[in-house]
Amino acid sequence: MSKRLQSLINRARLILEEPEFVEEYEPAYEIHVFDFDQTLQNKYRPLQCVEILREHLAAGIPCYIVTARKPDKGQEQHICDVLYWWDIQFDPDDVYALGPEAEKGLCVLDLIYRHQAEKCTFWDDKEYNCESVFTHCAEVVDELHVFHLSAAVPGDIRKEIIKDLENERLEIKHSLQERKLFRNWRRLSKI
């Protein structure tokens, strides 16, 4: 049996066995999940992912922020206030402050299930979060795209992890020239 067929069978099995959610989420083909620090902002200055977030929100694509900030400390509202400074309306219910010890992969997996999404894109500056999302979510979506951003050079893409059509993991490491082009795009857009 091919890997693709086995993946589809496993996905169908997971859908049949998935728990019922009390809170209703609109079904969506794709979702986007962002980290906040060093992904959307650096020292409260917006990074290029803010424009990506803005475009997806304008298109009606569900977007979420999953951060390692401590829960129940008002961080959800604080993040929404920062986004409001940049003219982005964001619901505090779409911000998940998990704390520094939590695995982001499990939260992203839950969001995928709730939306019945077939495509997920994740942005984070910590490699272990990117690996966690790929490990937990690769089997349940058709398309998974994980961006590992640099913590040293804010907004710089270090690596992309993609699940291809054959359910194989592909890693794309951008050359220095490609990364400079991405940074120049950021400077030209005045982000």
Side-chain angles (χ1 to χ4, degrees):
M1 184 179 314
S2 73
K3 287 183 180 180
R4 177 76 175 148
L5 181 59
Q6 184 63 41
S7 173
L8 291 173
I9 291 170
N10 289 340
R11 185 165 180 223
R13 190 174 292 131
L14 287 172
I15 289 172
L16 292 174
E17 296 171 357
E18 77 181 24
E20 292 294 322
F21 293 105
V22 175
E23 191 175 355
E24 277 297 313
Y25 282 67
E26 288 290 320
Y29 171 72
E30 71 177 298
I31 63 170
H32 289 260
V33 182
F34 298 85
D35 181 32
F36 187 65
D37 298 314
Q38 302 297 74
T39 302
L40 292 174
Q41 65 88 20
N42 178 41
K43 298 178 183 175
Y44 292 99
R45 292 180 53 211
L47 298 172
Q48 58 267 32
C49 284
V50 168
E51 284 305 312
I52 296 167
L53 173 67
R54 186 186 322 266
E55 289 171 9
H56 291 312
L57 288 172
I61 298 170
C63 294
Y64 296 92
I65 296 173
V66 177
T67 181
R69 291 183 179 202
K70 292 184 180 178
D72 303 323
K73 301 283 185 192
Q75 292 300 314
E76 296 87 348
Q77 185 60 50
H78 172 71
I79 288 170
C80 291
D81 292 342
V82 171
L83 293 173
Y84 182 76
W85 296 339
W86 303 328
D87 296 323
I88 297 175
Q89 300 290 329
F90 207 81
D91 188 353
D93 292 337
D94 294 338
V95 178
Y96 293 86
L98 303 178
E101 301 301 319
E103 275 195 70
K104 290 186 180 182
L106 295 173
C107 182
V108 174
L109 180 64
D110 183 53
L111 292 170
I112 290 169
Y113 279 141
R114 289 175 186 249
H115 283 286
Q116 301 165 6
E118 296 177 25
K119 180 179 179 182
C120 178
T121 304
F122 179 75
W123 308 77
D124 202 304
D125 65 314
K126 303 282 191 257
E127 188 168 15
Y128 57 85
N129 289 330
C130 295
E131 293 296 334
S132 172
V133 167
F134 191 86
T135 301
H136 287 93
C137 304
E139 291 296 319
V140 296
V141 292
D142 289 335
E143 292 180 54
L144 181 62
H145 204 141
V146 177
F147 289 94
H148 173 219
L149 302 174
S150 172
V153 181
D156 191 20
I157 296 175
R158 287 287 183 220
K159 174 173 58 173
E160 293 178 50
I161 306 170
I162 303 169
K163 181 182 108 169
D164 70 2
L165 295 175
E166 298 297 321
N167 290 332
E168 296 292 329
R169 176 187 170 119
L170 296 176
E171 285 189 20
I172 302 169
K173 293 185 180 183
H174 296 282
S175 68
L176 184 58
Q177 184 178 11
E178 290 170 320
R179 292 181 12 226
K180 283 182 181 180
L181 180 66
F182 192 65
R183 279 185 251 154
N184 285 336
W185 173 73
R186 177 178 146 214
R187 275 186 233 127
L188 289 173
S189 63
K190 298 181 181 170
I191 296 177

